[in-house]
Structure formats: structure tokens, C-alpha cells
Amino acid sequence: MGQFQLYFQLGIQHILDIAGFDHILFVVALCALYMGRDWKKILILVTAFTIGHSITLALATLNLLKVNSDIIEFLIPVTIAITAVSNILKPKPSSGSGLQINYLFALFFGLIHGLGFSNYLRSLLGKEASIFTPLLSFNLGLEVGQLVIVLAFMLISGLLVGLIGVNRKDWTLVISSIVLGMSIMMMLDTKFW
């Protein structure tokens, strides 16, 4: 197996790992406001998250950025909770074509999430002569994994809201409330004080 393929698969596994479901919860919270017809907005969200994740993952892996891992493990569920609360307070996406708050959430919170995996990736990359290809392939795998989550979630949303007739606002509120509850439990489990 080549280096690119190895780290690409690692990126996919990282995002789809049910044991580390924090990324899945965050992606679901980001997408809870949208339906399949909003695919361009969803793609921007997922890509913004990947960009933020990639920046801090690269900086931390290169030892240019160091943050206490206990704080990061606490902040990750905080980002999920903030996104879910935002959905609950405003359960419909903006209808305008300008910059939306969820885009900023995805980018900024992606910066925090990227720090959460950096120690493990740094230990893997310690053996590599160049880290450009592994980082690139890992982040591309991460993007593909997120798109798998989004596709599954949007199919379920489309089925329930579009075909069965579940109220879209209610769907957003229920999903966001579940995500909020799970993120609060994660915060309690990972408190750093």
C-alpha cells in the first residue's frame, strides 16, 4: 500500500470512527439546518471544516503550535454544543447568499478539531521524511469521510422530511437537541479542571 493511500484511508477512518464520534456529531450539527437541495452550502460547510482542521493539524504536527490536549478534548464538545444551540435558536438557514454563521463555525471550530488528532498523527509522521503527502492525503480522506456522513444524514433527512412529511423545523430541533445532549455528556466526561 502506498503512502498516499495509507494516509487517505487513515483520514477516512478518523472521521468515520464511531469511537471518536465527535466529528460525526459536529458534521451532523452543521448539516441539521439543510436539505439535499442545499448541497452547495453543505459542501462549503464541509470544506470549511476540513480547511480549519487541516491548518491546525499541519501546524501541530510540525510542532509550530502546541496546546494542552486536555483543553482541546474539552473544547471539541463545546464547539458541537455551540453549533447545536445555534440551530435550536435559529432552526432555519439564512436565505441570503452571503457569508453565513455556520460557515464561520465550520472553519473556526475545524481549527479546534484539528488539534485533537495531531498528537497521534505526529507520532505516525515521525517516521516520514516529508510530511506534505501524508498530510494532504489524510485531509483528503477526512473530506471524503465527511461527505459520506453528510450523504447518509441527508438521505435520512430527505426520507423523513421529504417523503414521510416530518416537519423540517421539528427535525432540525430534534437532531440539534440530541447532538446538544450528547455534547454536554462529552464535556462532563472530558472536563480538564
Short mmCIF file of all heavy atoms in Angstrom, two decimals, residues 110-175:
data_model
loop_
_atom_site.label_atom_id
_atom_site.label_comp_id
_atom_site.label_asym_id
_atom_site.label_seq_id
_atom_site.Cartn_x
_atom_site.Cartn_y
_atom_site.Cartn_z
N GLY A 110 -13.27 23.94 13.09
CA GLY A 110 -12.37 22.99 12.46
C GLY A 110 -10.94 23.17 12.95
O GLY A 110 -10.19 22.19 13.08
N LEU A 111 -10.57 24.43 13.24
CA LEU A 111 -9.24 24.70 13.79
C LEU A 111 -9.05 23.95 15.12
O LEU A 111 -8.00 23.36 15.37
CB LEU A 111 -9.04 26.20 14.01
CG LEU A 111 -8.99 27.09 12.77
CD1 LEU A 111 -9.07 28.56 13.16
CD2 LEU A 111 -7.76 26.80 11.94
N ILE A 112 -10.08 23.96 15.94
CA ILE A 112 -10.01 23.29 17.25
C ILE A 112 -9.98 21.77 17.06
O ILE A 112 -9.17 21.07 17.67
CB ILE A 112 -11.19 23.73 18.14
CG1 ILE A 112 -11.04 25.22 18.47
CG2 ILE A 112 -11.27 22.88 19.41
CD1 ILE A 112 -12.25 25.85 19.12
N HIS A 113 -10.84 21.26 16.20
CA HIS A 113 -10.90 19.81 15.98
C HIS A 113 -9.58 19.27 15.43
O HIS A 113 -9.20 18.15 15.74
CB HIS A 113 -12.06 19.46 15.05
CG HIS A 113 -13.40 19.53 15.70
ND1 HIS A 113 -14.17 18.41 15.91
CD2 HIS A 113 -14.10 20.58 16.19
CE1 HIS A 113 -15.31 18.78 16.50
NE2 HIS A 113 -15.28 20.09 16.68
N GLY A 114 -8.91 20.06 14.60
CA GLY A 114 -7.64 19.62 14.03
C GLY A 114 -6.57 19.36 15.08
O GLY A 114 -5.70 18.50 14.90
N LEU A 115 -6.64 20.09 16.16
CA LEU A 115 -5.67 19.90 17.24
C LEU A 115 -5.90 18.59 17.99
O LEU A 115 -4.98 18.06 18.61
CB LEU A 115 -5.72 21.07 18.22
CG LEU A 115 -5.25 22.41 17.65
CD1 LEU A 115 -5.59 23.53 18.61
CD2 LEU A 115 -3.76 22.37 17.35
N GLY A 116 -7.11 18.08 17.93
CA GLY A 116 -7.45 16.87 18.68
C GLY A 116 -6.77 15.61 18.19
O GLY A 116 -6.60 14.66 18.95
N PHE A 117 -6.37 15.58 16.94
CA PHE A 117 -5.78 14.36 16.37
C PHE A 117 -4.29 14.52 16.11
O PHE A 117 -3.62 13.59 15.70
CB PHE A 117 -6.51 14.03 15.06
CG PHE A 117 -6.26 12.65 14.54
CD1 PHE A 117 -6.69 11.54 15.24
CD2 PHE A 117 -5.59 12.46 13.35
CE1 PHE A 117 -6.46 10.26 14.76
CE2 PHE A 117 -5.36 11.18 12.85
CZ PHE A 117 -5.79 10.08 13.56
N SER A 118 -3.75 15.69 16.39
CA SER A 118 -2.37 16.00 15.99
C SER A 118 -1.32 15.14 16.69
O SER A 118 -0.33 14.77 16.07
CB SER A 118 -2.08 17.48 16.20
OG SER A 118 -2.22 17.82 17.55
N ASN A 119 -1.51 14.81 17.96
CA ASN A 119 -0.51 14.00 18.67
C ASN A 119 -0.35 12.63 18.03
O ASN A 119 0.76 12.15 17.82
CB ASN A 119 -0.87 13.85 20.15
CG ASN A 119 -0.66 15.12 20.92
OD1 ASN A 119 0.12 15.98 20.53
ND2 ASN A 119 -1.38 15.26 22.02
N TYR A 120 -1.47 12.00 17.72
CA TYR A 120 -1.42 10.68 17.10
C TYR A 120 -0.79 10.76 15.72
O TYR A 120 0.09 9.98 15.38
CB TYR A 120 -2.83 10.09 17.01
CG TYR A 120 -2.88 8.76 16.29
CD1 TYR A 120 -2.31 7.62 16.86
CD2 TYR A 120 -3.48 8.64 15.06
CE1 TYR A 120 -2.34 6.40 16.21
CE2 TYR A 120 -3.53 7.43 14.40
CZ TYR A 120 -2.95 6.31 14.97
OH TYR A 120 -2.98 5.10 14.32
N LEU A 121 -1.23 11.74 14.91
CA LEU A 121 -0.69 11.86 13.56
C LEU A 121 0.79 12.22 13.61
O LEU A 121 1.58 11.71 12.81
CB LEU A 121 -1.48 12.91 12.76
CG LEU A 121 -1.16 12.96 11.27
CD1 LEU A 121 -1.44 11.63 10.60
CD2 LEU A 121 -1.97 14.05 10.60
N ARG A 122 1.19 13.06 14.55
CA ARG A 122 2.60 13.43 14.69
C ARG A 122 3.44 12.18 14.96
O ARG A 122 4.53 12.03 14.40
CB ARG A 122 2.79 14.45 15.81
CG ARG A 122 4.20 15.01 15.88
CD ARG A 122 4.42 16.00 17.00
NE ARG A 122 3.39 16.98 17.14
CZ ARG A 122 2.61 17.13 18.21
NH1 ARG A 122 2.77 16.34 19.25
NH2 ARG A 122 1.69 18.06 18.26
N SER A 123 2.93 11.28 15.79
CA SER A 123 3.69 10.06 16.09
C SER A 123 3.80 9.17 14.85
O SER A 123 4.84 8.54 14.63
CB SER A 123 3.07 9.29 17.25
OG SER A 123 1.83 8.75 16.91
N LEU A 124 2.77 9.14 14.03
CA LEU A 124 2.83 8.37 12.78
C LEU A 124 3.79 9.00 11.78
O LEU A 124 4.54 8.30 11.10
CB LEU A 124 1.44 8.28 12.14
CG LEU A 124 0.41 7.39 12.81
CD1 LEU A 124 -0.92 7.50 12.09
CD2 LEU A 124 0.87 5.95 12.82
N LEU A 125 3.75 10.31 11.69
CA LEU A 125 4.57 11.01 10.69
C LEU A 125 6.02 11.14 11.11
O LEU A 125 6.86 11.51 10.30
CB LEU A 125 4.00 12.40 10.43
CG LEU A 125 2.65 12.44 9.72
CD1 LEU A 125 2.12 13.86 9.66
CD2 LEU A 125 2.75 11.85 8.34
N GLY A 126 6.33 10.83 12.36
CA GLY A 126 7.70 10.93 12.82
C GLY A 126 8.66 10.12 11.99
O GLY A 126 9.83 10.44 11.87
N LYS A 127 8.16 9.07 11.35
CA LYS A 127 9.00 8.20 10.54
C LYS A 127 9.14 8.69 9.10
O LYS A 127 9.96 8.19 8.36
CB LYS A 127 8.40 6.79 10.54
CG LYS A 127 8.27 6.17 11.92
CD LYS A 127 7.51 4.87 11.84
CE LYS A 127 6.09 5.18 12.25
NZ LYS A 127 5.17 4.12 12.17
N GLU A 128 8.31 9.62 8.68
CA GLU A 128 8.29 10.06 7.29
C GLU A 128 9.34 11.15 7.04
O GLU A 128 9.54 12.04 7.85
CB GLU A 128 6.91 10.61 6.93
CG GLU A 128 5.76 9.65 7.16
CD GLU A 128 5.77 8.46 6.23
OE1 GLU A 128 6.45 8.49 5.19
OE2 GLU A 128 5.10 7.47 6.56
N ALA A 129 9.99 11.07 5.88
CA ALA A 129 10.98 12.08 5.50
C ALA A 129 10.28 13.40 5.17
O ALA A 129 10.72 14.47 5.56
CB ALA A 129 11.80 11.60 4.31
N SER A 130 9.18 13.32 4.45
CA SER A 130 8.40 14.50 4.10
C SER A 130 6.97 14.29 4.59
O SER A 130 6.41 13.21 4.42
CB SER A 130 8.39 14.71 2.58
OG SER A 130 7.44 15.68 2.22
N ILE A 131 6.40 15.33 5.18
CA ILE A 131 5.04 15.15 5.70
C ILE A 131 3.98 15.76 4.79
O ILE A 131 2.80 15.65 5.06
CB ILE A 131 4.90 15.70 7.12
CG1 ILE A 131 5.06 17.22 7.15
CG2 ILE A 131 5.85 15.03 8.06
CD1 ILE A 131 4.57 17.83 8.44
N PHE A 132 4.38 16.38 3.68
CA PHE A 132 3.40 17.03 2.80
C PHE A 132 2.40 16.02 2.25
O PHE A 132 1.19 16.22 2.38
CB PHE A 132 4.09 17.78 1.64
CG PHE A 132 3.11 18.36 0.68
CD1 PHE A 132 2.41 19.52 1.01
CD2 PHE A 132 2.84 17.75 -0.54
CE1 PHE A 132 1.48 20.06 0.14
CE2 PHE A 132 1.90 18.28 -1.41
CZ PHE A 132 1.23 19.44 -1.07
N THR A 133 2.88 14.96 1.65
CA THR A 133 1.97 13.97 1.05
C THR A 133 1.09 13.29 2.10
O THR A 133 -0.13 13.19 1.89
CB THR A 133 2.76 12.93 0.23
OG1 THR A 133 3.46 13.61 -0.81
CG2 THR A 133 1.84 11.88 -0.38
N PRO A 134 1.65 12.85 3.23
CA PRO A 134 0.77 12.25 4.24
C PRO A 134 -0.31 13.22 4.76
O PRO A 134 -1.46 12.82 4.93
CB PRO A 134 1.72 11.85 5.36
CG PRO A 134 3.04 11.69 4.71
CD PRO A 134 3.06 12.68 3.59
N LEU A 135 0.07 14.47 5.00
CA LEU A 135 -0.92 15.45 5.47
C LEU A 135 -2.00 15.71 4.43
O LEU A 135 -3.19 15.77 4.75
CB LEU A 135 -0.24 16.76 5.85
CG LEU A 135 0.28 16.88 7.26
CD1 LEU A 135 1.06 18.17 7.45
CD2 LEU A 135 -0.82 16.79 8.28
N LEU A 136 -1.57 15.87 3.19
CA LEU A 136 -2.53 16.11 2.11
C LEU A 136 -3.48 14.93 1.96
O LEU A 136 -4.70 15.10 1.93
CB LEU A 136 -1.81 16.37 0.79
CG LEU A 136 -2.70 16.51 -0.44
CD1 LEU A 136 -3.59 17.75 -0.32
CD2 LEU A 136 -1.88 16.55 -1.71
N SER A 137 -2.93 13.73 1.91
CA SER A 137 -3.79 12.55 1.71
C SER A 137 -4.69 12.31 2.92
O SER A 137 -5.86 11.93 2.76
CB SER A 137 -2.95 11.32 1.38
OG SER A 137 -2.01 11.05 2.39
N PHE A 138 -4.18 12.55 4.13
CA PHE A 138 -5.02 12.41 5.31
C PHE A 138 -6.21 13.37 5.25
O PHE A 138 -7.36 12.99 5.50
CB PHE A 138 -4.21 12.67 6.59
CG PHE A 138 -5.03 12.60 7.84
CD1 PHE A 138 -5.31 11.38 8.43
CD2 PHE A 138 -5.56 13.75 8.40
CE1 PHE A 138 -6.08 11.31 9.59
CE2 PHE A 138 -6.33 13.69 9.56
CZ PHE A 138 -6.59 12.47 10.15
N ASN A 139 -5.95 14.62 4.92
CA ASN A 139 -7.02 15.62 4.87
C ASN A 139 -8.00 15.39 3.73
O ASN A 139 -9.19 15.66 3.87
CB ASN A 139 -6.43 17.03 4.83
CG ASN A 139 -5.87 17.42 6.18
OD1 ASN A 139 -6.56 17.35 7.19
ND2 ASN A 139 -4.61 17.81 6.22
N LEU A 140 -7.52 14.86 2.61
CA LEU A 140 -8.45 14.48 1.54
C LEU A 140 -9.32 13.31 2.00
O LEU A 140 -10.53 13.27 1.70
CB LEU A 140 -7.67 14.12 0.27
CG LEU A 140 -7.02 15.28 -0.45
CD1 LEU A 140 -6.14 14.78 -1.60
CD2 LEU A 140 -8.05 16.28 -0.95
N GLY A 141 -8.74 12.37 2.72
CA GLY A 141 -9.53 11.27 3.28
C GLY A 141 -10.56 11.78 4.28
O GLY A 141 -11.70 11.31 4.31
N LEU A 142 -10.16 12.75 5.07
CA LEU A 142 -11.07 13.38 6.02
C LEU A 142 -12.26 14.00 5.29
O LEU A 142 -13.42 13.83 5.68
CB LEU A 142 -10.33 14.45 6.82
CG LEU A 142 -11.10 15.16 7.90
CD1 LEU A 142 -11.24 14.26 9.12
CD2 LEU A 142 -10.39 16.44 8.29
N GLU A 143 -11.99 14.71 4.20
CA GLU A 143 -13.05 15.33 3.42
C GLU A 143 -14.01 14.29 2.86
O GLU A 143 -15.23 14.44 2.93
CB GLU A 143 -12.44 16.16 2.28
CG GLU A 143 -13.44 16.88 1.41
CD GLU A 143 -13.93 18.20 1.97
OE1 GLU A 143 -13.59 18.57 3.11
OE2 GLU A 143 -14.68 18.88 1.24
N VAL A 144 -13.47 13.21 2.31
CA VAL A 144 -14.31 12.14 1.76
C VAL A 144 -15.14 11.51 2.86
O VAL A 144 -16.35 11.26 2.69
CB VAL A 144 -13.44 11.08 1.02
CG1 VAL A 144 -14.26 9.84 0.69
CG2 VAL A 144 -12.85 11.69 -0.24
N GLY A 145 -14.54 11.25 4.01
CA GLY A 145 -15.28 10.67 5.13
C GLY A 145 -16.43 11.57 5.58
O GLY A 145 -17.53 11.09 5.87
N GLN A 146 -16.17 12.87 5.63
CA GLN A 146 -17.24 13.81 6.00
C GLN A 146 -18.36 13.79 4.97
O GLN A 146 -19.54 13.86 5.33
CB GLN A 146 -16.67 15.23 6.11
CG GLN A 146 -15.79 15.40 7.30
CD GLN A 146 -15.18 16.79 7.38
OE1 GLN A 146 -15.00 17.27 8.47
NE2 GLN A 146 -14.86 17.43 6.28
N LEU A 147 -18.01 13.70 3.71
CA LEU A 147 -19.04 13.65 2.67
C LEU A 147 -19.88 12.39 2.78
O LEU A 147 -21.08 12.41 2.49
CB LEU A 147 -18.41 13.78 1.28
CG LEU A 147 -17.80 15.16 0.99
CD1 LEU A 147 -17.05 15.14 -0.35
CD2 LEU A 147 -18.86 16.25 0.99
N VAL A 148 -19.28 11.30 3.22
CA VAL A 148 -20.05 10.06 3.46
C VAL A 148 -21.07 10.30 4.58
O VAL A 148 -22.24 9.92 4.46
CB VAL A 148 -19.10 8.88 3.81
CG1 VAL A 148 -19.87 7.69 4.34
CG2 VAL A 148 -18.27 8.50 2.59
N ILE A 149 -20.63 10.94 5.66
CA ILE A 149 -21.54 11.25 6.77
C ILE A 149 -22.66 12.16 6.30
O ILE A 149 -23.84 11.92 6.59
CB ILE A 149 -20.78 11.93 7.93
CG1 ILE A 149 -19.77 10.94 8.54
CG2 ILE A 149 -21.74 12.44 9.00
CD1 ILE A 149 -18.75 11.61 9.44
N VAL A 150 -22.29 13.19 5.56
CA VAL A 150 -23.28 14.14 5.06
C VAL A 150 -24.28 13.44 4.15
O VAL A 150 -25.49 13.65 4.27
CB VAL A 150 -22.59 15.31 4.31
CG1 VAL A 150 -23.59 16.14 3.54
CG2 VAL A 150 -21.82 16.18 5.29
N LEU A 151 -23.80 12.63 3.25
CA LEU A 151 -24.69 11.92 2.33
C LEU A 151 -25.67 11.03 3.10
O LEU A 151 -26.88 11.06 2.82
CB LEU A 151 -23.88 11.09 1.34
CG LEU A 151 -24.67 10.31 0.30
CD1 LEU A 151 -25.49 11.26 -0.58
CD2 LEU A 151 -23.76 9.46 -0.56
N ALA A 152 -25.18 10.29 4.07
CA ALA A 152 -26.07 9.42 4.87
C ALA A 152 -27.09 10.26 5.62
O ALA A 152 -28.30 9.94 5.63
CB ALA A 152 -25.25 8.58 5.84
N PHE A 153 -26.63 11.34 6.26
CA PHE A 153 -27.54 12.19 7.02
C PHE A 153 -28.57 12.85 6.11
O PHE A 153 -29.76 12.92 6.44
CB PHE A 153 -26.76 13.25 7.80
CG PHE A 153 -27.65 14.15 8.61
CD1 PHE A 153 -28.26 13.68 9.77
CD2 PHE A 153 -27.92 15.45 8.20
CE1 PHE A 153 -29.09 14.50 10.51
CE2 PHE A 153 -28.75 16.27 8.94
CZ PHE A 153 -29.34 15.80 10.10
N MET A 154 -28.14 13.32 4.95
CA MET A 154 -29.06 13.99 4.03
C MET A 154 -30.08 13.01 3.44
O MET A 154 -31.22 13.37 3.19
CB MET A 154 -28.30 14.73 2.93
CG MET A 154 -27.38 15.84 3.44
SD MET A 154 -28.08 16.92 4.72
CE MET A 154 -29.36 17.76 3.83
N LEU A 155 -29.66 11.77 3.23
CA LEU A 155 -30.61 10.75 2.76
C LEU A 155 -31.69 10.49 3.81
O LEU A 155 -32.88 10.41 3.48
CB LEU A 155 -29.89 9.46 2.39
CG LEU A 155 -29.09 9.47 1.10
CD1 LEU A 155 -28.27 8.19 0.96
CD2 LEU A 155 -29.99 9.68 -0.10
N ILE A 156 -31.27 10.38 5.06
CA ILE A 156 -32.24 10.17 6.15
C ILE A 156 -33.15 11.39 6.27
O ILE A 156 -34.37 11.25 6.39
CB ILE A 156 -31.51 9.89 7.48
CG1 ILE A 156 -30.80 8.54 7.40
CG2 ILE A 156 -32.47 9.93 8.65
CD1 ILE A 156 -29.81 8.29 8.53
N SER A 157 -32.56 12.59 6.22
CA SER A 157 -33.36 13.82 6.29
C SER A 157 -34.36 13.90 5.15
O SER A 157 -35.53 14.23 5.34
CB SER A 157 -32.45 15.06 6.24
OG SER A 157 -31.66 15.15 7.37
N GLY A 158 -33.88 13.61 3.94
CA GLY A 158 -34.76 13.66 2.77
C GLY A 158 -35.90 12.67 2.87
O GLY A 158 -37.04 12.97 2.51
N LEU A 159 -35.60 11.49 3.38
CA LEU A 159 -36.62 10.46 3.55
C LEU A 159 -37.66 10.90 4.57
O LEU A 159 -38.87 10.86 4.31
CB LEU A 159 -35.97 9.14 3.99
CG LEU A 159 -36.93 7.98 4.27
CD1 LEU A 159 -37.61 7.54 2.98
CD2 LEU A 159 -36.19 6.83 4.89
N LEU A 160 -37.21 11.37 5.72
CA LEU A 160 -38.14 11.74 6.79
C LEU A 160 -38.90 13.03 6.49
O LEU A 160 -40.11 13.11 6.70
CB LEU A 160 -37.40 11.86 8.12
CG LEU A 160 -36.88 10.54 8.68
CD1 LEU A 160 -36.04 10.77 9.92
CD2 LEU A 160 -38.03 9.60 9.00
N VAL A 161 -38.18 14.04 6.03
CA VAL A 161 -38.82 15.34 5.79
C VAL A 161 -39.52 15.37 4.44
O VAL A 161 -40.68 15.79 4.33
CB VAL A 161 -37.78 16.50 5.90
CG1 VAL A 161 -38.41 17.83 5.52
CG2 VAL A 161 -37.20 16.55 7.30
N GLY A 162 -38.82 14.90 3.40
CA GLY A 162 -39.37 14.98 2.05
C GLY A 162 -40.44 13.97 1.73
O GLY A 162 -41.46 14.29 1.12
N LEU A 163 -40.24 12.73 2.14
CA LEU A 163 -41.18 11.68 1.76
C LEU A 163 -42.22 11.38 2.84
O LEU A 163 -43.40 11.21 2.54
CB LEU A 163 -40.42 10.40 1.41
CG LEU A 163 -39.54 10.46 0.16
CD1 LEU A 163 -38.81 9.15 -0.05
CD2 LEU A 163 -40.37 10.81 -1.07
N ILE A 164 -41.80 11.29 4.07
CA ILE A 164 -42.73 10.93 5.15
C ILE A 164 -43.50 12.14 5.66
O ILE A 164 -44.59 12.01 6.18
CB ILE A 164 -41.98 10.19 6.28
CG1 ILE A 164 -41.43 8.87 5.72
CG2 ILE A 164 -42.86 9.95 7.48
CD1 ILE A 164 -40.61 8.06 6.69
N GLY A 165 -42.92 13.31 5.52
CA GLY A 165 -43.63 14.53 5.89
C GLY A 165 -43.33 15.08 7.28
O GLY A 165 -44.11 15.87 7.82
N VAL A 166 -42.20 14.67 7.88
CA VAL A 166 -41.80 15.24 9.16
C VAL A 166 -41.53 16.73 8.95
O VAL A 166 -40.93 17.12 7.95
CB VAL A 166 -40.53 14.53 9.71
CG1 VAL A 166 -39.98 15.23 10.93
CG2 VAL A 166 -40.83 13.06 9.99
N ASN A 167 -41.99 17.55 9.86
CA ASN A 167 -41.78 18.98 9.77
C ASN A 167 -40.28 19.29 9.81
O ASN A 167 -39.58 18.82 10.71
CB ASN A 167 -42.51 19.68 10.93
CG ASN A 167 -42.35 21.18 10.89
OD1 ASN A 167 -41.29 21.70 11.21
ND2 ASN A 167 -43.42 21.85 10.50
N ARG A 168 -39.81 20.07 8.85
CA ARG A 168 -38.38 20.37 8.73
C ARG A 168 -37.83 21.05 9.99
O ARG A 168 -36.75 20.72 10.47
CB ARG A 168 -38.13 21.24 7.50
CG ARG A 168 -36.69 21.59 7.29
CD ARG A 168 -36.49 22.38 6.02
NE ARG A 168 -35.10 22.79 5.90
CZ ARG A 168 -34.63 23.45 4.90
NH1 ARG A 168 -35.41 23.79 3.89
NH2 ARG A 168 -33.36 23.80 4.85
N LYS A 169 -38.57 22.01 10.52
CA LYS A 169 -38.13 22.73 11.72
C LYS A 169 -38.06 21.77 12.90
O LYS A 169 -37.08 21.79 13.66
CB LYS A 169 -39.08 23.89 12.03
CG LYS A 169 -38.69 24.69 13.25
CD LYS A 169 -39.66 25.82 13.48
CE LYS A 169 -39.34 26.55 14.77
NZ LYS A 169 -40.33 27.58 15.09
N ASP A 170 -39.06 20.91 13.04
CA ASP A 170 -39.05 19.93 14.13
C ASP A 170 -37.86 18.98 14.00
O ASP A 170 -37.23 18.63 14.99
CB ASP A 170 -40.36 19.13 14.15
CG ASP A 170 -41.56 19.97 14.54
OD1 ASP A 170 -41.37 21.08 15.09
OD2 ASP A 170 -42.70 19.52 14.30
N TRP A 171 -37.59 18.54 12.77
CA TRP A 171 -36.45 17.65 12.52
C TRP A 171 -35.15 18.32 12.96
O TRP A 171 -34.35 17.72 13.67
CB TRP A 171 -36.39 17.29 11.03
CG TRP A 171 -35.17 16.55 10.60
CD1 TRP A 171 -34.17 17.03 9.80
CD2 TRP A 171 -34.80 15.21 10.93
NE1 TRP A 171 -33.21 16.07 9.61
CE2 TRP A 171 -33.57 14.95 10.29
CE3 TRP A 171 -35.38 14.21 11.70
CZ2 TRP A 171 -32.92 13.72 10.40
CZ3 TRP A 171 -34.73 12.99 11.81
CH2 TRP A 171 -33.52 12.75 11.16
N THR A 172 -34.96 19.58 12.58
CA THR A 172 -33.76 20.32 12.96
C THR A 172 -33.66 20.44 14.48
O THR A 172 -32.59 20.24 15.06
CB THR A 172 -33.76 21.72 12.32
OG1 THR A 172 -33.77 21.58 10.90
CG2 THR A 172 -32.55 22.54 12.74
N LEU A 173 -34.78 20.76 15.12
CA LEU A 173 -34.78 20.91 16.58
C LEU A 173 -34.48 19.60 17.30
O LEU A 173 -33.72 19.58 18.27
CB LEU A 173 -36.11 21.50 17.05
CG LEU A 173 -36.35 22.97 16.65
CD1 LEU A 173 -37.77 23.38 17.00
CD2 LEU A 173 -35.34 23.88 17.29
N VAL A 174 -35.05 18.51 16.83
CA VAL A 174 -34.83 17.21 17.47
C VAL A 174 -33.37 16.78 17.30
O VAL A 174 -32.70 16.40 18.27
CB VAL A 174 -35.80 16.14 16.91
CG1 VAL A 174 -35.36 14.73 17.30
CG2 VAL A 174 -37.22 16.42 17.38
N ILE A 175 -32.86 16.84 16.08
CA ILE A 175 -31.48 16.44 15.82
C ILE A 175 -30.52 17.31 16.62
O ILE A 175 -29.59 16.81 17.27
CB ILE A 175 -31.15 16.52 14.31
CG1 ILE A 175 -31.92 15.44 13.55
CG2 ILE A 175 -29.66 16.42 14.05
CD1 ILE A 175 -31.57 14.02 13.96
#
